[in-house]
């Protein structure tokens, strides 16, 4: 499918985006560790998160979905699935489930679509194997499908070389199935939804910043966790596409009911540095701080980005669209992780911007973009939802055609409806 976006006009709109993907995944996975009925409101019904929910069902959970509320009754004991566990396009699903299942008695096979099967898994399989997990896969457990023979694991003191919420979450879940306190250290605080949610469910977890590093101490579970009763906040990463739209076309976007967790709004802070006016309005703070973000466009200037990269790694492709029209030369460094996302996002951003007439250059760990006029082009999304959505937003300025745009449905099925608030578009079926 090709998404054709036409140039748009200034707007002043409210955006109620889809529920947060990261938190929705965790609701489905963590519910398996509880002792009763989990009540989840505003669960994201996208392909990836529904796959996480379906896996929970195959592992023994009973699930009831009335359209408004999802109820998950945890099994007394996680059971072996009689089929392969399909994770779709989601690295979060395969990596976090691997950490959970590594400590569960049974045999499990996890796989995904053609893009997920190319993504590196040794970052979770290697540390899990080091504490006794039995995991195998292609290229010595680096590529899916992954087979896991779960069982009791050894407690650990592990220091990760990368700040990754997926690696951290996998190791925290593994630590719950050991015999003693474990410690996980990362060089920088990555998204902390796992720590927040598990602590809120009764897990014995202590977190602190020590010598500039994030340290998490995890005690093994003595009993099952308390069930979740949560309204999933909306996703600031999804909403950021419309923050970008407001910034580049000098408009106003009022983004409703998103998490204001500091590890999730760093891209908005960068957008402020580039000249946009942004206001944060806190409404509540239980599992997560939740509120509204108001973004107003203004004259944009270039920026250099090399700090807090783990907090904005997913939003960097969208930020690149702002850099493409900002005054001056923008530079992104320290973002090598972009190479191993749903696509090589450094390559995807640079190659596609060049098609649009924007001067851009690749680095191994980032890119350089010189802002200028944007031309309409035929964009290769590389099957990556964030690349597709980023260039759809850039199309508001000049028009754009994006190939393989069906990938957007993996994470943000409501994107097309919200896109119609800021510009006209059409979908071309190429089958």
């Amino acid at each position: 499918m090709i998404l054709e976006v036409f140039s748009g006009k200034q707007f002043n709109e409210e955006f109620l985006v889809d529920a947060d993907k990261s938190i929705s995944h965790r609701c489905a996975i963590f519910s398996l560790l509880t002792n009763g009925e989990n009540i989840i409101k505003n669960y994201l019904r996208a392909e990836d998160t529904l796959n996480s929910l379906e896996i929970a069902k195959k592992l023994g959970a009973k699930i009831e979905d009335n359209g408004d509320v999802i109820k998950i009754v945890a099994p007394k004991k996680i059971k072996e699935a009689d089929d392969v566990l399909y994770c779709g396009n989601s690295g979060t699903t395969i990596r976090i489930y691997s950490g959970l299942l590594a400590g569960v008695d049974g045999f499990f096979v996890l796989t995904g679509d053609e893009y997920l099967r190319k993504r590196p898994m040794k970052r979770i399989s290697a540390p899990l194997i080091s504490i006794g997990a039995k995991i195998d896969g292609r290229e010595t457990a680096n590529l899916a499908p992954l087979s896991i023979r779960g069982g009791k694991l050894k407690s650990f003191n592990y220091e990760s070389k990368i700040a990754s919420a997926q690696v951290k979450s996998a190791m925290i879940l593994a630590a719950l199935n050991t015999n003693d306190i474990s410690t996980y250290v990362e060089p920088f605080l990555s998204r902390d939804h796992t720590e927040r949610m598990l602590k809120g469910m009764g897990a014995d977890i202590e977190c602190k910043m020590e010598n500039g590093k994030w340290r998490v101490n995890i005690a093994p579970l003595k009993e099952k966790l308390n069930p979740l009763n949560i309204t999933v906040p909306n996703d600031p990463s999804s909403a950021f596409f419309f923050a970008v739209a407001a910034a580049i076309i000098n408009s106003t976007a009022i983004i409703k009911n998103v998490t204001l967790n500091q590890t999730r709004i760093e891209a908005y802070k960068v957008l402020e540095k580039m000249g946009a006016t942004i206001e944060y309005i806190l409404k509540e703070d239980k599992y997560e701080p939740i509120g509204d973000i108001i973004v107003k466009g203004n004259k944009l200037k270039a920026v250099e980005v090399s700090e807090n990269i783990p907090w904005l790694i997913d939003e960097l492709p969208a930020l690149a669209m702002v850099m493409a029209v900002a005054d001056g030369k923008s530079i992104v460094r320290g973002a090598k992780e972009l190479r191993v996302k749903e696509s090589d996002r450094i390559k995807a951003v640079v190659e596609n911007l060049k098609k649009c007439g924007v001067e851009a250059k690749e680095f191994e760990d980032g890119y350089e973009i010189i802002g200028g006029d944007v031309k309409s082009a035929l964009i290769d999304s590389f099957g990556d939802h964030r690349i597709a959505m980023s260039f759809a937003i850039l199309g508001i300025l000049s028009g754009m055609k994006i190939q393989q745009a069906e990938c957007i449905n993996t994470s943000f099925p409501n994107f097309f409806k919200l896109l119609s608030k800021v510009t006209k578009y059409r979908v071309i079926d190429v089958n």
Side-chain angles (χ1 to χ4, degrees):
M1 139 184 171
I2 294 176
L3 172 63
E4 183 175 11
V5 177
F6 302 99
S7 56
K9 298 179 181 179
Q10 289 182 326
F11 61 87
N12 186 335
E13 294 281 354
E14 286 190 355
F15 295 91
L16 191 64
V17 299
D18 291 327
D20 190 83
K21 185 168 70 166
S22 296
I23 295 174
S24 293
H25 279 306
R26 286 162 173 78
C27 286
I29 298 168
F30 298 170
S31 68
L32 292 164
L33 298 172
T34 64
N35 60 4
E37 185 178 80
N38 297 268
I39 305 297
I40 305 165
K41 300 175 185 176
N42 199 40
Y43 187 89
L44 176 61
R45 289 167 175 80
E47 291 175 7
D48 282 349
T49 49
L50 290 174
N51 283 327
S52 287
L53 201 60
E54 181 62 22
I55 291 173
K57 184 177 180 180
K58 287 183 176 180
L59 295 173
K62 294 180 180 179
I63 297 173
E64 177 184 329
D65 183 358
N66 67 10
D68 293 319
V69 178
I70 292 178
K71 296 180 182 179
I72 305 176
V73 179
K76 291 184 179 179
K77 182 181 179 182
I78 294 174
K79 71 173 188 178
E80 284 184 318
D82 60 5
D83 198 357
V84 171
L85 303 174
Y86 182 70
C87 304
N89 190 242
S90 174
T92 298
T93 302
I94 193 169
R95 289 175 177 139
I96 297 184
Y97 264 122
S98 293
L100 173 66
L101 298 176
V104 173
D105 289 334
F107 175 73
F108 312 93
V109 178
L110 295 152
T111 193
D113 67 13
E114 61 176 305
Y115 303 104
L116 187 64
R117 295 195 303 272
K118 295 174 183 176
R119 295 180 65 183
M121 295 298 146
K122 191 162 283 187
R123 59 181 51 197
I124 54 110
S125 64
L128 288 170
I129 289 169
S130 74
I131 62 171
K134 298 176 181 177
I135 302 176
D136 204 355
R138 293 182 298 133
E139 294 186 6
T140 58
N142 187 44
L143 297 176
L146 297 180
S147 67
I148 300 174
R149 171 64 67 182
K152 204 69 176 178
L153 302 172
K154 299 180 292 186
S155 59
F156 58 85
N157 191 336
Y158 181 79
E159 184 164 344
S160 177
K161 293 181 180 179
I162 60 173
S164 165
Q166 294 175 0
V167 176
K168 176 172 60 176
S169 298
M171 294 300 285
I172 288 174
L173 289 178
L176 297 177
N177 282 297
T178 62
N179 291 318
D180 205 349
I181 293 175
S182 297
T183 299
Y184 181 88
V185 179
E186 60 182 352
F188 184 86
L189 172 62
S190 62
R191 291 181 180 182
D192 61 350
H193 302 307
T194 292
E195 299 98 303
R196 286 173 175 264
M197 290 177 69
L198 289 176
K199 285 179 71 174
M201 297 166 72
D204 186 359
I205 296 176
E206 295 180 351
C207 310
K208 62 180 177 179
M209 192 67 72
E210 188 175 279
N211 298 323
K213 299 179 180 181
W214 185 244
R215 178 179 295 270
V216 185
N217 297 321
I218 315 106
L221 287 185
K222 296 179 181 178
E223 56 187 7
K224 291 194 172 185
L225 298 175
N226 301 320
L228 284 162
N229 189 339
I230 185 173
T231 299
V232 179
N234 293 328
D235 191 337
S237 298
S238 296
F240 189 68
F241 293 106
F242 299 100
V244 167
I248 67 175
I249 206 165
N250 200 23
S251 298
T252 299
I254 303 167
I255 296 162
K256 305 291 289 185
N257 300 332
V258 293
T259 174
L260 300 180
N261 184 315
Q262 66 170 337
T263 68
R264 298 299 304 281
I265 60 171
E266 183 67 14
Y268 293 86
K269 301 294 186 181
V270 175
L271 200 54
E272 280 186 273
K273 292 178 182 177
M274 299 185 77
T277 301
I278 301 184
E279 182 181 0
Y280 307 88
I281 304 170
L282 181 65
K283 291 182 174 179
E284 62 177 278
D285 191 355
K286 188 178 179 182
Y287 286 106
E288 290 276 328
I290 300 172
D292 298 342
I293 303 177
I294 301 174
V295 181
K296 295 182 180 180
N298 210 331
K299 183 174 175 58
L300 298 168
K301 60 184 179 181
V303 70
E304 293 192 13
V305 179
S306 60
E307 297 180 349
N308 298 339
I309 293 294
W311 291 2
L312 51 75
I313 195 76
D314 285 339
E315 293 83 7
L316 282 173
L319 267 173
M321 305 302 105
V322 187
M323 296 172 179
V325 301
D327 184 20
K329 179 170 67 177
S330 294
I331 296 174
V332 173
R333 284 287 199 180
K336 192 174 180 180
E337 185 75 5
L338 287 173
R339 297 277 187 192
V340 293
K341 290 292 185 177
E342 282 82 343
S343 69
D344 179 342
R345 287 179 176 165
I346 293 175
K347 175 183 176 182
V349 163
V350 171
E351 287 190 1
N352 283 314
L353 282 179
K354 286 180 178 179
K355 291 180 182 178
C356 299
V358 176
E359 191 174 341
K361 181 170 68 175
E362 274 191 52
F363 305 133
E364 181 61 25
D365 64 343
Y367 39 75
E368 172 187 292
I369 298 170
I370 298 177
D373 293 331
V374 175
K375 301 176 182 176
S376 179
L378 179 62
I379 299 300
D380 186 350
S381 73
F382 297 93
D384 187 329
H385 55 116
R386 294 198 185 275
I387 297 299
M389 289 186 283
S390 295
F391 281 90
I393 294 299
L394 188 61
I396 295 171
L397 292 176
S398 59
M400 205 74 69
K401 290 182 179 179
I402 299 98
Q403 296 173 308
Q404 292 181 278
E406 64 273 12
C407 60
I408 292 169
N409 289 316
T410 64
S411 67
F412 195 175
N414 203 33
F415 176 78
F416 298 98
K417 179 181 178 181
L418 295 176
L419 182 63
S420 67
K421 286 191 168 193
V422 301
T423 193
K424 292 181 179 180
Y425 71 88
R426 66 171 177 162
V427 172
I428 303 169
D429 190 350
V430 294
N431 293 327

